[in-house]
Amino acid sequence: QRSIEAFARDHRDRVNADPELRAHFNRLCAAAGVDPLQSSRGGFARWLGLGDLYYELAVQAAHVCMASRPANGGLISLDELARAVAAA
């Protein structure tokens, strides 16, 4: 667990920027029985800056939904939302 903590601290920007590395990191955490999202006050979430990451994702999602309001009242499927956020 300490190795995972050190990796999270040392490679925060890379984990947040690289979806493949983030997926690998999540698999390592799962194998070690560690939930990096358990608490926004927890060490992993703080070291990885997950609060900021998910805040930014929520803002992007809100922008996509608001932009789609004229067409659908702002309600879109998660698939459509994921595509729109990924394209942004």
Side-chain angles (χ1 to χ4, degrees), residues 3-25:
S3 295
I4 294 174
E5 291 172 4
F7 184 87
R9 278 192 311 271
D10 297 343
H11 302 284
R12 170 187 168 179
D13 293 338
R14 285 183 53 217
V15 170
N16 285 333
D18 183 347
E20 288 183 34
L21 180 59
R22 189 167 47 252
H24 182 69
F25 178 77

Side-chain angles (χ1 to χ4, degrees), residues 60-62 64-65 76-86:
Q60 290 177 16
V64 168
C65 291
I76 62 175
S77 72
L78 286 177
D79 288 336
E80 289 177 81
L81 178 60
R83 280 192 298 272
V85 169

